[in-house]
Every structure is written in C-alpha cells, then in structure tokens.
Amino acid sequence: MEHTPLVVMGVSGSGKSTVGAALAQRMRVPFADADDFHPPANIAKMTAGTPLDDHDRHPWLEAIGAWLAEHPQGGVMSCSALKRKYRDQLRHHAHRTVFLLLHGTPEVIRKRQASRPGHFMPASLLASQFATLETLAPDEAGISVDVDQSVDAIVDQYVRWAAESGR
C-alpha cells in the first residue's frame, strides 16, 4: 500500500520519535528523526538553553524537506514543525506531506520530558516551544491527537484517520 510522507510534529517531549518510529514500523515505511538533521551549531545552541531562530531552522528544514521528497511513497519524519511557515517549507519539497500533531498540556509534556535523560533539549525551553506552536489550520492535511494515551492508541488513531481520508 502506498502512503504519503508523514511528519509527526509537536513540542519537545510530546513523543514524536517514539510515535514516528511506531507508525513507520506499522506502515512499513522508512523513519527519520529531524534531530539527526540539525547542524552542530543548532545542537550547541539548544544545549546551552538558547531557542533556535528562523535563520537557524531554515537549512535544517530544507534538509528535512529533501528527505520527505525522497520518500513520495511514504516515510515518517519526527519534526517539531511548530509554525505554519515551517510546515509550508516542508510541503514546498513534498506537497502531499501530512502532519500528525501530538498535543498535550504543559503538565503532561513536562512529565514526559523528565523521563528523557540525556536529551539535548532542556526542559527550560518547553515554554518557548508552547509559545511558538501554531496548531494545524483547517486547510492543512493532518490530524491532532492527544498524547496522554498509549503509543499504540495514538498509532491506531492515525491509521484510522489515514484510511478514512485516503492518505
């Protein structure tokens, strides 16, 4: 079965990588984590507790968009994609890309972040991520799913949505 490229998006700690990997396995398509596409300067900046700006994100999003374009029959990318313009930049490369927004309350996400030792995104940046997040607009192909449930339940919800919407 053919799938469209999928970006699992949300703030840090929402479960993008875990859900993305599970979805890719379920759909039998490649998986990539946007964290692996960051240049060293971006990682250093985030590790220091400094939020990235749009200038920092542009080449990173270009690399992610190129990966999505290389997987027109389906691939899953975990990527924050917090702003509409970032998602537009990704769609510029792969216009059929759909988005799965993993949403949750700051309390739920903080609890999830606390269980991730060694991740380069400090919990102190969570507030800036929530402030930046622009939820999916009605004209954007995608679905928003609450993260306060099991990974299997999230995957099942996306798979049902994708089947019903012909994605």
Side-chain angles (χ1 to χ4, degrees):
M1 178 179 182
E2 187 175 308
H3 299 280
T4 58
L6 167 65
V7 173
V8 180
M9 61 172 283
V11 299
S12 178
S14 60
K16 298 180 296 291
S17 298
T18 302
V19 171
L23 268 166
Q25 184 175 18
R26 171 85 66 93
M27 298 184 324
R28 294 183 170 87
V29 297
F31 170 73
D33 190 320
D35 286 348
D36 297 334
F37 291 72
H38 274 298
N42 284 10
I43 293 173
K45 204 170 179 180
M46 288 184 288
T47 301
T50 305
L52 299 180
D53 60 26
D54 288 352
H55 177 76
D56 300 321
R57 286 187 187 95
H58 186 80
W60 174 65
L61 290 166
E62 286 295 296
I64 293 164
W67 187 91
L68 291 167
E70 292 166 5
H71 297 88
Q73 278 75 46
V76 178
M77 172 68 72
S78 65
C79 175
S80 53
L82 298 177
K83 289 184 180 179
R84 168 72 186 248
K85 70 179 181 176
Y86 305 157
R87 297 188 297 271
D88 289 346
Q89 186 176 348
L90 297 177
R91 277 189 294 263
H92 175 76
H93 292 274
H95 70 280
R96 294 177 53 232
T97 299
V98 295
F99 295 85
L100 167 56
L101 169 58
L102 299 177
H103 71 86
T105 65
E107 295 75 31
V108 167
I109 302 295
R110 241 188 312 277
K111 195 179 340 173
R112 293 171 67 102
Q113 268 193 335
S115 68
R116 296 172 34 171
H119 192 267
F120 60 74
M121 174 67 83
S124 59
L125 291 182
L126 185 59
S128 75
Q129 291 232 320
F130 271 103
T132 302
L133 176 63
E134 296 172 4
T135 58
L136 293 172
D139 67 331
E140 291 185 273
I143 180 176
S144 183
V145 175
D146 190 334
V147 299
D148 202 9
Q149 57 185 323
S150 72
V151 171
D152 285 341
I154 294 169
V155 168
D156 288 345
Q157 197 171 342
Y158 175 79
V159 169
R160 271 193 312 277
W161 174 84
E164 291 168 2
S165 63
R167 306 272 179 196

